[in-house]
Amino acid sequence: MTITAEHSHPYTHGDLPRLMGLMTGDEKHGPAATSTLDVLWVLYDRVLRVGPERMGDPERDRFLLSKGHGPMAYYAVLAAKGFVPVEWLPGFGSYDSPLGHHPDRVLVPGAEIGSGSLGHGLPIAVGTALGLRAQERTEPRVWVLVGDAELDEGSNHEAIAFAGPAGLDRLHTVVVDNSSAGHARPGGIAARFEAAGWSTVTVDGRDHDALYAAFTAPHPGRPHAVVAQVEPKSD
């Protein structure tokens, strides 16, 4: 079965700031959320083959939010695409809301993993890609969104080093680079992935057409990493 990306819900990218504005509180991690907004929108609007009615479909694409400590943009996009009710957004982070400060896969429709602990998402994505390969499922793609600061965690480097030689060509990593990493990398972020045999593209993380082209670039036999550069984190 071939799955196509979903386009039917009436919300547009222009509605996302209003949807994000419904979420308030002291632990919003606003800059972290805003940095991911365009990447998330292009993925869910034009790339990912998944929708509210296909969350249990074994042939769906898997999207894993590793950068889970700033989930407002994620929740806004999930609401815009019909995964969660817009009415949930104002309760963000409250005691009885399913929309916590970190996403919970048991509570948030469409969330593939519980996230927020930095360094977990990419290793889980590697395991997911391996699991799909073991099931001989060649249709689903695995996408994971990480922040540049997460790459300070050693678990990510083990995952990067494994995935390239393993030829996990259904695996895609998007690194949102807002210059918040504590340790510089010789040659930049993409060079770390390239050294392990990944295909890489570095793009403007606000340019939707450039993001789409990077997300859909062919990479036969290799995992693919997209470094999406955005404005430096302000706080």
Side-chain angles (χ1 to χ4, degrees):
M1 175 175 56
T2 300
I3 300 176
T4 57
E6 300 299 314
H7 303 279
S8 59
H9 212 269
Y11 291 100
T12 68
H13 177 263
D15 294 309
L16 295 181
R18 178 177 64 83
L19 294 177
M20 288 183 66
L22 297 175
M23 292 173 276
T24 59
D26 294 334
E27 297 186 43
K28 294 192 302 182
H29 291 284
T34 302
S35 69
T36 66
L37 190 61
D38 295 280
V39 163
L40 286 165
W41 179 256
V42 174
L43 282 172
Y44 273 91
D45 192 55
R46 301 172 63 179
V47 178
L48 293 175
R49 295 172 296 188
V50 68
E53 74 287 359
R54 294 172 171 166
M55 289 185 285
D57 190 331
E59 297 298 326
R60 73 190 183 282
D61 286 347
R62 274 71 164 172
F63 173 78
L64 283 59
L65 179 70
S66 186
K67 189 180 169 69
H69 59 289
M72 286 173 41
Y74 183 48
Y75 292 154
V77 170
L78 289 179
K81 291 300 178 182
F83 288 87
V84 303
V86 171
E87 292 74 22
W88 284 8
L89 299 180
F92 164 69
S94 61
Y95 175 76
D96 58 352
S97 173
L99 304 182
H101 292 126
H102 297 163
D104 185 329
R105 69 175 299 274
V106 176
L107 300 177
V108 182
E112 295 280 357
I113 60 171
S115 59
S117 297
L118 298 184
H120 284 58
L122 183 50
I124 293 173
V126 168
T128 302
L130 284 171
L132 291 168
R133 175 186 283 182
Q135 296 173 49
E136 299 183 348
R137 295 191 183 278
T138 59
E139 186 73 14
R141 300 169 299 186
V142 180
W143 293 81
V144 58
L145 190 158
V146 307
D148 61 317
E150 279 192 81
L151 296 181
D152 291 344
E153 302 287 344
S155 55
N156 280 316
H157 292 279
E158 293 181 16
I160 293 167
F162 176 87
L168 295 180
D169 58 357
R170 307 307 286 169
L171 175 63
H172 307 73
T173 298
V174 185
V175 182
V176 174
D177 179 10
N178 63 358
S179 303
S180 59
H183 304 289
R185 288 167 188 80
I189 292 173
R192 174 66 186 91
F193 287 87
E194 290 169 359
W198 290 57
S199 164
T200 67
V201 181
T202 299
V203 295
D204 180 347
R206 300 303 187 191
D207 185 328
H208 289 199
D209 289 337
L211 286 169
Y212 178 75
F215 293 159
T216 56
H219 51 95
R222 296 194 289 169
H224 186 52
V226 176
V227 180
Q229 297 178 325
V230 298
E231 60 279 359
K233 185 177 178 181
S234 58
D235 60 10

